[in-house]
């Protein structure tokens, strides 16, 4: 598979340069660019091109040839009338665009991917009109006039401040998409969960705190007539990079983060990246007279069968029940992982590699693990992990007592983040720092506003002047900048001779992001410069007026 990727990699970049859909074996694939990422999402609910192509799904930085996750999707499983129901999403996916009406699959031309491109979309106005098609299914918007209705031309479509918001409504109610060869479980058509899974994907490219992060929200509704009992949600991910064979896996249980990093922390590999997935919002159960948010309930891993791992730690392709055990944090035979750093009491755990590799404390990959498929009381078979094995992780949130009644909703939100550094250790340290900030920002600001139809206000942490858009322009263009503190700001426009032709800002501004429109209708075509000046920062950029 890897040789195939390398041989045809340039073709990926050529094919998927726009947000248009392509067709292959009835599967549609869309190109997205939230934040500083390029990624592909297909109509089966998978972050990768359709299964007719062996291409990666998530690239960082945007427009680079550096992929960080090969494939990723959300699997949901529960007991329905004492039988296992599962909608798997790892390699091929078992979702379809649509919903459930009267306990049956329903789809039509409205069920597709919708985009709001706030920075530079020629079709922006048509997009904000069609956005209303999905508002009743959970597509976010800022209800400016507070009337509870999406009013085109008044309300703001998409996530406020995001450079791109994408939305699609999926369901598992189409039995023809369920396959035993899905990759992780899969193939169950009796019973179907009959869920509606509304997916929102968004990111920010003009905010230094958030630009190396993109967010995914799943609003899952039980549209069946049956209770889902013992429900689990699992993100299946295969982390990769240009040096996939040197990746290590880890778990941060405090921040609900699962991450990968380079094998040797002091090595300046190229590329140097640490990447992770952090759970931001998860289901809850009622416990001790209060709602107990589940968060990350297990982090598990399996290995590709080509690496000849123990059978209980190999791919669960076409094995729904073993996949269900993996989702719960067990091995495939429902035995526990054992933490080799614990010397007394129980060593059983549902969180693999929960130590800190930066200071070499706790259980990390460097410690090794118990490769044993018998009982989970055998402590004599510890072995090192070989970097050459593909690491396929399961990041789960669920509980034996998580029962979802007909009509009930689960909100599940996570973020994908990536960082670099002068070596692998610094990249990982930067990732940990970023994860803690992302968690705080989402919980205290973003979540409290986006899904309550209010604008999001995020204080920048640095000065930044953006390139005007459009450029060239005729006769208007937009200039954006951000400031981290209250400051006296000047924004001026000069012609090529240095003569000032306009002053857009000459005032004290509070911290935040701003945009101003420059109108050059009274000027001749040519090169102009706009200069941003504050008490601590100054920058000039070029723009072209072309009539």
């Amino acid at each position: 598979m890897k040789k195939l990727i390398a041989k045809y990699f340039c073709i990926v970049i050529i094919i998927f340069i726009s947000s248009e859909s392509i067709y292959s074996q009835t599967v549609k694939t869309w190109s997205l660019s939230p934040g500083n990422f390029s990624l592909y999402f297909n109509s089966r609910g998978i972050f990768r091109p359709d299964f007719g192509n062996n291409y990666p799904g998530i690239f960082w930085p945007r427009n680079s040839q550096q992929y960080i996750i090969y494939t990723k999707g959300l699997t949901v499983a529960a007991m329905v009338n004492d039988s296992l129901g599962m909608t798997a999403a790892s390699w091929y996916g078992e979702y379809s665009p649509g919903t459930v009406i009267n306990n049956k699959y329903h789809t039509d031309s409205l069920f597709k991917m919708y985009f709001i491109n706030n920075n530079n979309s020629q079709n922006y106005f048509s997009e904000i009109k069609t956005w209303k098609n999905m508002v009743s299914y959970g597509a976010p918007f800022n209800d400016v006039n507070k009337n509870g209705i999406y009013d085109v031309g008044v309300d703001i479509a998409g996530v406020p401040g995001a450079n791109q918001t994408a939305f699609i409504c999926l369901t598992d109610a189409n039995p023809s998409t369920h396959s035993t060869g899905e990759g992780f479980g899969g193939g169950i058509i009796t019973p179907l969960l009959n869920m509606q899974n509304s997916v929102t994907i968004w990111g920010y490219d003009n905010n230094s705190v958030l630009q190396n992060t993109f967010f995914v929200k799943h609003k899952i509704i039980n549209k069946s007539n049956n209770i889902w009992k013992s429900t689990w949600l699992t993100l299946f991910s295969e982390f990769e990079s240009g040096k996939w064979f040197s990746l290590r896996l880890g778990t941060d249980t405090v921040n609900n983060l699962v991450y990968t990093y380079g094998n040797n922390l002091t090595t300046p590999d190229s590329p140097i990246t640490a990447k992770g997935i952090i759970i931001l919002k998860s289901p809850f159960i009622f416990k001790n007279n209060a709602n107990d948010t589940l968060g990350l309930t297990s982090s598990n891993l399996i290995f590709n069968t080509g690496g000849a791992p123990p059978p209980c730690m190999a791919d669960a392709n076409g094995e729904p029940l073993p996949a269900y055990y993996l989702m719960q944090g067990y091995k495939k035979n429902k035995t526990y992982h054992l933490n080799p750093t614990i010397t007394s009491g129980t060593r059983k755990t549902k969180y693999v590699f929960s130590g800190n590799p930066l200071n070499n404390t706790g259980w990390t990959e460097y410690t090794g693990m118990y490769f044993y498929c018998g009982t989970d009381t055998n402590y004599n078979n510890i072995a090192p992990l070989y970097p050459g094995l593909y690491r396929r992780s399961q990041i789960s949130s669920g509980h034996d007592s998580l029962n979802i009644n007909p009509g009930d909703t689960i909100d599940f939100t996570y973020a994908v983040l990536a960082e670099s550094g002068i070596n692998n250790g610094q990249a990982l340290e930067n990732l940990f720092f970023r994860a803690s900030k992302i968690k705080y920002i989402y919980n205290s600001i973003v979540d409290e506003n986006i899904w309550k139809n209010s604008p999001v206000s995020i204080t920048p942490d640095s000065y930044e002047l953006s390139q005007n858009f459009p450029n060239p322009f005729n006769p208007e263009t937009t200039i954006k900048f951000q400031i981290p503190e209250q400051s006296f700001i000047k924004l001026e426009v000069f012609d090529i001779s240095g003569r000032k032709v306009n002053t857009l800002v000459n005032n004290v501004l509070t911290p935040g992001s701003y945009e101003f429109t420059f109108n050059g209708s009274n000027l001749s075509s040519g090169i102009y410069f706009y200069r941003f000046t504050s008490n601590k920062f100054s920058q000039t950029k070029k723009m072209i007026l072309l009539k």
Side-chain angles (χ1 to χ4, degrees):
M1 179 183 296
K2 300 298 177 267
K3 291 182 179 179
L4 182 63
I5 294 171
K7 185 176 180 180
Y8 296 103
F9 191 85
C10 60
I11 299 177
V12 181
I13 303 303
I14 295 172
I15 293 176
F16 299 115
I17 58 175
S18 71
S19 293
E20 298 296 325
S21 61
I22 61 171
Y23 292 81
S24 177
Q25 302 180 44
T26 71
V27 178
K28 297 180 183 179
T29 298
W30 295 274
S31 166
L32 310 177
S33 55
N36 196 24
F37 292 81
S38 297
L39 52 92
Y40 308 105
F41 188 84
N42 70 41
S43 56
R44 295 285 178 88
I46 304 292
F47 280 93
R48 69 182 281 247
D50 68 81
F51 51 78
N53 298 294
N54 281 327
Y55 301 133
I58 300 176
F59 295 77
W60 177 87
R62 186 199 303 171
N63 299 327
S64 74
Q65 296 184 0
Q66 182 173 307
Y67 59 95
I68 62 171
I69 296 179
Y70 189 82
T71 185
K72 181 170 70 67
L74 179 69
T75 295
V76 182
M79 300 303 295
V80 180
N81 293 328
D82 298 323
S83 296
L84 177 62
M86 175 179 288
T87 305
S90 63
W91 292 95
Y92 298 127
E94 297 186 325
Y95 295 99
S96 296
T99 187
V100 181
I101 298 179
N102 296 326
N103 221 37
K104 293 182 179 179
Y105 172 54
H106 169 79
T107 192
D108 55 43
S109 61
L110 294 180
F111 290 95
K112 59 182 182 179
M113 181 72 81
Y114 290 79
F115 302 91
I116 293 294
N117 297 289
N118 289 331
N119 286 354
N120 55 352
S121 174
Q122 292 179 321
N123 301 319
Y124 177 75
F125 293 106
S126 63
E127 289 170 347
I128 63 174
K129 289 180 181 179
T130 58
W131 194 257
K132 65 181 180 181
N133 296 332
M134 290 291 111
V135 166
S136 62
Y137 295 95
F141 71 98
N142 177 19
D143 189 5
V144 175
N145 56 12
K146 307 299 181 183
N147 66 353
I149 301 172
Y150 177 64
D151 297 308
V152 177
V154 177
D155 298 327
I156 302 173
V159 172
N163 73 301
Q164 184 181 76
T165 306
F167 181 89
I168 188 170
C169 185
L170 303 172
T171 181
D172 71 314
N174 179 7
S176 67
T177 61
H178 291 248
S179 169
T180 54
E182 196 282 327
F184 179 69
I188 295 178
I189 59 175
T190 304
L192 293 171
L193 294 175
N194 280 339
M195 81 171 82
Q196 177 181 292
N197 183 359
S198 297
V199 184
T200 305
I201 306 165
W202 77 98
Y204 309 83
D205 69 352
N206 60 354
N207 186 289
S208 59
V209 178
L210 298 174
Q211 66 180 355
N212 288 332
T213 307
F214 74 87
F215 299 84
V216 184
K217 176 184 172 70
H218 294 268
K219 181 180 179 182
I220 298 170
I221 303 176
N222 180 354
K223 302 280 284 187
S224 75
N225 298 325
N226 301 304
I227 301 174
W228 301 346
K229 296 182 178 180
S230 190
T231 305
W232 260 267
L233 293 80
T234 293
L235 290 168
F236 177 99
S237 302
E238 183 175 288
F239 291 99
E240 290 193 21
S241 71
K243 292 190 174 182
W244 58 269
F245 51 83
S246 67
L247 290 182
R248 299 290 188 176
L249 185 71
T251 303
D252 178 352
T253 57
V254 174
N255 287 309
N256 293 326
L257 171 72
V258 173
Y259 57 91
T260 61
Y261 55 97
N263 180 38
N264 189 333
L265 295 178
T266 61
T267 298
D269 288 338
S270 180
I272 303 168
T273 59
K275 49 264 188 186
I277 299 175
I278 183 171
I279 294 178
L280 298 169
K281 195 166 187 179
S282 60
F284 59 84
I285 58 174
F286 193 71
K287 183 179 179 183
N288 298 325
N289 297 317
N291 289 331
D292 180 13
T293 301
L294 293 173
L296 179 69
T297 55
S298 69
S299 61
N300 209 333
L301 85 161
I302 54 176
F303 302 104
N304 61 308
T305 52
C312 60
M313 300 176 67
D315 286 325
N317 185 23
E319 300 177 279
L321 187 58
Y324 188 49
Y325 295 152
L326 289 168
M327 295 174 71
Q328 297 173 60
Y330 301 107
K331 298 177 184 178
K332 284 170 55 177
N333 60 351
K334 208 177 181 181
T335 61
Y336 283 90
H337 288 284
L338 302 175
N339 185 333
T341 65
I342 297 176
T343 58
S344 62
T346 180
R347 301 186 184 185
K348 297 177 181 179
T349 182
K350 291 187 176 183
Y351 301 97
V352 297
F353 312 127
S354 54
N356 187 340
L358 290 177
N359 56 21
N360 199 26
T361 59
W363 182 22
T364 70
E365 280 215 27
Y366 303 126
T367 314
M369 68 187 310
Y370 292 103
F371 288 101
Y372 189 68
C373 290
T375 66
D376 44 27
T377 57
N378 186 311
Y379 304 137
N380 300 312
N381 198 28
I382 190 170
L385 269 151
Y386 297 102
L389 292 171
Y390 290 98
R391 281 137 177 81
R392 294 167 179 168
S393 70
Q394 293 92 56
I395 305 162
S396 300
S397 186
H399 199 274
D400 284 332
S401 300
L402 181 58
N403 298 331
I404 310 300
N405 294 311
D408 283 356
T409 299
I410 299 173
D411 286 334
F412 183 72
T413 304
Y414 65 91
V416 176
L417 53 159
E419 286 292 337
S420 60
I422 61 173
N423 54 41
N424 294 325
Q426 187 187 75
L428 182 56
E429 186 175 3
N430 292 340
L431 185 81
F432 288 163
F433 176 74
R434 187 70 63 189
S436 63
K437 295 189 73 172
I438 294 300
K439 184 179 179 182
Y440 169 77
I441 289 172
Y442 185 84
N443 291 335
S444 62
I445 301 175
V446 178
D447 187 49
E448 289 298 314
N449 290 279
I450 289 177
W451 312 107
K452 295 181 180 178
N453 298 326
S454 302
V456 177
S457 176
I458 301 173
T459 301
D461 63 357
S462 65
Y463 289 94
E464 183 173 312
L465 177 65
S466 300
Q467 185 64 50
N468 66 300
F469 182 82
N471 188 39
F473 64 96
N474 179 28
E476 291 187 344
T477 188
T478 298
I479 300 172
K480 297 182 180 181
F481 61 86
Q482 66 179 36
I483 59 175
E485 58 191 354
Q486 182 170 301
S487 182
F488 186 88
I489 302 297
K490 279 189 177 182
L491 182 61
E492 303 164 297
V493 180
F494 301 85
D495 64 18
I496 196 168
S497 68
R499 180 177 63 93
K500 183 167 65 176
V501 298
N502 203 322
T503 299
L504 298 176
V505 182
N506 187 30
N507 204 350
V508 175
L509 299 180
T510 57
S513 298
Y514 296 85
E515 63 179 74
F516 292 87
T517 300
F518 172 68
N519 190 312
S521 57
N522 61 338
L523 300 173
S524 58
S525 296
I527 297 174
Y528 293 84
F529 298 89
Y530 57 100
R531 183 172 68 193
F532 170 90
T533 306
S534 73
N535 299 336
K536 299 180 180 179
F537 179 86
S538 181
Q539 189 174 12
T540 300
K541 289 183 179 288
K542 181 174 69 175
M543 59 184 177
I544 300 174
L545 173 60
L546 188 61
K547 293 185 175 180

